[in-house]
Amino acid sequence: MTQAPTSSPAHVAIIGGGPAGLMAAEVLSQAGVKVDLYDGMPSVGRKFLLAGVGGMNITHSEAYPAFLSRYAERAPHIAPLLRGFGADALCQWIHDLGIDTFIGSSGRVFPTDMKAAPLLRAWLKRLRDSGVVIHTRHRWLGWDAHGALRIDSPEGEKTLHPDATLLALGGGSWSRLGSDGAWMLPLEQHGVGLAPLQPSNCGFEVQAWSELMVSKFAGAPLKNIAIGLNDDVPRLGECVITATGIEGSLIYALSAPIREAINQHGSATIHLDLLPGRPVDKIQTALSKPRGSRSMAKHLHSQLGIDGVKAALLRELTAAEAFADPGLLAKAIKALPVTLMKTRPLDEAISSAGGVLFESMDERLMLKQMPGVFCAGEMLDWEAPTGGYLLTACFASGRAAGLGILEWLNSGS
C-alpha cells in the first residue's frame, strides 16, 4: 500500500514506462511533484516504438461520437478520459513537442515523418528536464507485508514508500517488450476486481487448412473483400491467410465479437464476400455464360476476376456440386463461410482485453481497495480496434490518473 503524503514535495512512484505512465509523469512533474518512474526493460516506450514500425498511427480524426463508439461497452468509462484529453488535445500536445502531424486518407493521424522515435526522444527530454527520474531494469514485484513497493533492481531488491503509486504496466501481449500481465497476481491478492486477459486485435485459427492452402497461400493477402459476422453489415477491407487461419486489419476490427462468439459457442463463423462490389444476381449471370472447353478456374477468372487465393478459398470452402450450379456458386462467392475455432495466443496479439475493472476504481482511477494506488493504460479492462484508438485512450488515462493523483495528494485522502 501507499501512504498519505506527509511532506512537500510529494513523491510518486510510477511503474511502467509506456504512454500512460509517461503522460502521468508529465502531469505530476509539471505540478512540482517528485516523480520516479520504474520500468523492467532496458529502455522505456518499447511497445510504443514497435507500434511505430511501418507508420506511427497516433490517433484518429473521425468525429467524437464515432470515435467514442470504438470502445464498445466501455465507452461510458472512456468518455470522461477523452473529454479531458481527446484526439485534438493529443495532436496539439504532439505539436508542442515540435512534431508535425497529418491526416491520412483513412482518417488516421500520423507524425509527418511516420516515426515514433523522434516523438519519444523529444518527450523523454521534456520529462527529464522537468525532473522525472527514469529507472530502467527495475521490475515491480508487488508489495511487502508492510505495504512497501518491492522493486527488483540491478543492485538487488529495494523497497519504496511513495506518497502515491501509479501502475501503468500494460496488458498481456508482447511480453518480450514488457507487457506480460504479471501484475494480475499481486492485485488479485489485494482483492482488486479483475477481468481475465484475452487477445484483442488478433488473428484466429481454423480447424485446419488443406495442405494446398498452407503450401501455396499462407501469407497471401485477401484484398477488396468484405467480412460479415452474424447479421451485422459486412465490413470492407483486407486481411491475410495464415498457415493456421486468418489475420490482418479487417479481422482485427472484428476480433472482439469473434472472440466473444467463440467464448460462448466454441466457434464463430464469418462470411467472406469475395466480390463486394457486385450483387449476387450479376455474379450468377456472369457464371451462367457458356464456358465451352474452358476450365472452371479460367471461367471464374475471365468472368469475375476471381483467381489466386480467392479461387483457392472458394475451392476449399465450397461443396463440389456448387460449381455446377451458378446460383449456388454465386451465393458462395458473396457469403463464403469460414469457421474460426480459437484466437491466436495472447502474446501474439496487438493488444489485450481484460484487466483492472473500472468498477474497482473511483473516478480518479484510484483503486477502491488500495487508497493511493492508481492504474492507467492498457492494464485497465477496455479494448479498441487499431487506428489510433488504443494509443489515444492510453494517453488520456495516463493524464487522468496524473490529475487524480494530484487531487488525492492535495486533499490528503
Side-chain angles (χ1 to χ4, degrees), residues 129-194:
D129 288 348
S130 66
V132 176
V133 180
I134 296 175
H135 308 265
T136 55
R137 295 188 171 91
H138 281 63
R139 185 175 179 82
W140 177 65
L141 302 175
W143 295 271
D144 68 13
H146 306 288
L149 292 173
R150 296 174 55 216
I151 303 288
D152 181 27
S153 78
E155 296 78 38
E157 186 171 323
K158 302 177 180 179
T159 55
L160 307 174
H161 292 86
D163 298 315
T165 299
L166 171 65
L167 302 179
L169 287 151
S173 62
W174 291 88
S175 60
R176 66 182 179 85
L177 302 177
S179 300
D180 59 8
W183 47 266
M184 294 278 283
L185 181 58
L187 288 180
E188 185 179 32
Q189 291 171 340
H190 281 83
V192 176
L194 304 169

Side-chain angles (χ1 to χ4, degrees), residues 27-69:
V27 170
L28 292 163
S29 62
Q30 289 180 350
V33 174
K34 182 180 184 297
V35 178
D36 282 280
L37 186 146
Y38 301 88
D39 194 282
M41 303 304 289
S43 59
V44 298
R46 292 204 160 196
K47 194 172 181 183
F48 179 72
L49 291 173
L50 180 71
V53 173
M56 178 77 256
N57 176 202
I58 198 78
T59 189
H60 204 288
S61 64
E62 70 183 350
Y64 178 76
F67 194 107
L68 182 61
S69 72

